[in-house]
């Protein structure tokens, strides 16, 4: 696989950061009266370990912005592949487009949740680890072997560790045993020679493995004969400390490494779900689960109308943004963004992040920023405006984007800023300048509608038994 400027930028950022952060803030915490108090030492060790885990978790997911590919460039290198996906807003991905019931709504209209409520829906709980990793459970094979995966809109492949993997990451995670599944088959796409092995590169490492096919089950939805990769090697410490076993990509087919059909496409084709649609609810309250809904969104997770915007490049979930402002001051206009559930923070140009934090005593550690926690009450609203929508202003307050990881150290207590610096000028004018990750998505119930090539953002409802319960 080729490596984009984005991957190279993130790969450079992945080395050494956890040690730097922990070392920067830990030094003075071992001095003074607390050091003489055994109970205080125990408490300090407990919170230090917790904050280190939280920091590691954020680093892990930040550097896994990834966007893997073989010969498909990030932007502007897909040629006819890209144009094939821009024929119209209602071009179907595959299968039956049950979303035709929205015909009168139009691509820019608000969602009719009453109509959606009648459609078949599959809901899967998502476990939140330190607001950095959201993962759910799937089963592969017959009988099903269970795996925890990140449902990732920034990639399109499914992979899990294989039983022949000798990497440390595989030793501490669930592995797939093909001999234990009666439905396991080698991958042979329609009798033609297909890829026998794949390598998928990420900003934080890579996996290599054998391609096969088997049944994949998510709740009551099932994809029969779904191609996936059994990793025989996982390189990079990020996979070792991850709470998940593998990744299930929800991007469009053009970015699938090896051109393997994504799970969402297979389920829609086999009418296992109502339409090629997924919706994410990502709360930050650890006492509640998040959830992902397949086929149609869950009305209980939305607290208001949905602002829709078209997908402008159907590989990643790329959208056009009209502007981003700090309060009433627009700092950037007419730019592209990728909506990515596999990224924990928001990737933004360095100049924007530094303007946001102007006047604060912040620290920049390899593009990730730490500022006094009490600044969250003084920081401005960040207002995103979607291109071509009515009332599409999506707002984040300082409380939304200042993340308290209980980092040890002397006063003032520091929080991680939910924006990290990433400049992509090397990719050219059409490059996405922003990646909207979980810090952004927690504020909204986000609907990824592949059949109609659009993304919808509704205000997220409070957790309840009917949503994230």
């Amino acid at each position: 696989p080729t490596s984009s400027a984005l991957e190279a930028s993130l790969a450079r950022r992945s080395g050494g950061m956890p040690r730097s952060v922990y070392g920067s803030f830990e030094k003075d915490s071992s001095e003074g009266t607390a050091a003489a108090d055994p109970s205080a030492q125990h408490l300090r060790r407990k919170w230090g370990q917790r904050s280190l885990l939280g920091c590691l978790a954020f680093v892990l997911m930040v550097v896994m912005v990834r966007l893997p590919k073989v010969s498909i460039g990030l932007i502007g290198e897909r040629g006819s592949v890209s144009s094939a996906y821009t024929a119209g807003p209602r071009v179907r991905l595959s299968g039956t487009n049950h979303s035709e019931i929205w015909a009168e709504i139009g691509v820019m209209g608000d969602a009719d949740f009453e109509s959606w409520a009648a459609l078949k829906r599959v809901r899967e709980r998502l476990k939140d680890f330190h607001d950095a990793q959201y993962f759910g459970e799937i089963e592969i094979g017959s009988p099903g072997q269970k795996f925890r995966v990140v449902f990732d809109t920034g990639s399109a492949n499914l992979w899990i560790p294989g039983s022949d993997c000798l990497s440390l990451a595989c030793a501490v995670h669930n592995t797939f045993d093909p001999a234990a599944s009666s439905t396991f088959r080698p991958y042979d796409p329609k009798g033609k020679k297909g890829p026998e092995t794949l390598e998928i590169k990420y900003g934080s490492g890579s996996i290599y493995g054998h391609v096969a096919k088997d049944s994949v089950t998510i709740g009551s939805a099932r994809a029969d004969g779904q191609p996936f990769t059994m990793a025989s090697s996982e390189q990079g410490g990020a996979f070792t400390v991850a709470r998940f076993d593998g990744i299930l990509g929800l991007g469009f087919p053009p970015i699938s490494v090896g051109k393997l059909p994504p799970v969402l496409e297979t389920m829609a084709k086999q009418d296992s779900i109502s339409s090629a649609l997924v919706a994410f609810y990502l709360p930050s309250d650890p006492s509640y689960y998040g959830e992902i809904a397949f086929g149609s969104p869950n009305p209980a997770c939305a607290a208001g109308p949905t602002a829709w915007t078209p997908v402008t490049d159907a590989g990643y979930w790329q959208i056009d943004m009209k502007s981003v402002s700090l309060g009433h001051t627009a700092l950037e206009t007419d730019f592209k963004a990728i909506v990515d559930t596999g990224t924990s923070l928001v990737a933004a140009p360095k100049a924007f992040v530094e303007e946001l934090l102007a006047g604060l005593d912040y620290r920049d550690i390899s593009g990730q920023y730490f500022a006094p926690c009490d600044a969250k009450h003084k920081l401005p609203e960040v207002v995103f405006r979607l291109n071509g929508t009515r009332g599409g202003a999506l707002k984040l307050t300082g409380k939304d984007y200042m993340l308290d990881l209980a980092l040890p150290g002397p006063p003032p207590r520091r929080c991680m800023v939910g924006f990290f610096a990433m400049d992509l000028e090397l990719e050219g004018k059409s490059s996405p300048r922003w990646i909207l990750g979980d810090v952004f998505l927690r504020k909204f119930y986000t609907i990824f509608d592949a059949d109609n090539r659009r993304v919808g953002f509704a205000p997220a409802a409070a957790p309840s038994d009917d949503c994230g319960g």
Side-chain angles (χ1 to χ4, degrees), residues 363-414:
R363 299 183 185 181
D364 175 3
I365 303 177
S366 300
Q368 294 185 274
Y369 295 80
F370 298 82
C373 292
D374 58 10
K376 70 176 64 176
H377 305 294
K378 299 180 286 187
L379 285 166
E381 275 190 334
V382 180
V383 183
F384 296 87
R385 295 190 182 278
L386 302 174
N387 215 9
T389 61
R390 301 190 307 270
L394 309 176
K395 302 178 181 180
L396 298 181
T397 66
K399 185 178 178 181
D400 297 323
Y401 60 81
M402 288 290 282
L403 311 170
D404 190 350
L405 302 181
L407 292 168
R413 192 162 54 88
R414 293 187 176 269

Side-chain angles (χ1 to χ4, degrees), residues 261-330:
V263 173
L264 187 64
E265 180 185 59
T266 305
M267 286 185 167
K269 222 177 234 184
Q270 297 176 0
D271 283 330
S272 182
I273 54 178
S274 300
S275 62
L277 176 152
V278 291
F280 281 83
Y281 179 74
L282 305 177
S284 58
D285 185 343
S287 61
Y288 287 91
Y289 287 97
E291 74 165 59
I292 179 173
F294 287 81
S296 72
N298 179 2
C301 291
T306 303
W308 290 102
T309 189
V311 171
T312 56
D313 195 327
Y316 308 106
W317 290 88
Q318 180 179 300
I319 60 177
D320 285 348
M321 306 294 287
K322 185 176 181 179
S323 67
V324 60
S325 306
L326 295 183
H328 298 291
T329 305

Side-chain angles (χ1 to χ4, degrees), residues 22 25 43-55 58 130 370 373 403-409 413-416:
Y22 195 65
F25 300 134
L43 186 62
R44 187 177 66 250
R45 284 195 300 269
K46 174 184 173 183
W47 282 98
Q49 291 164 359
R50 177 187 169 190
S51 57
L52 179 58
L53 277 175
C55 208
F58 269 103
H130 285 282
F370 298 82
C373 292
L403 311 170
D404 190 350
L405 302 181
L407 292 168
R413 192 162 54 88
R414 293 187 176 269
C415 287
M416 179 182 281

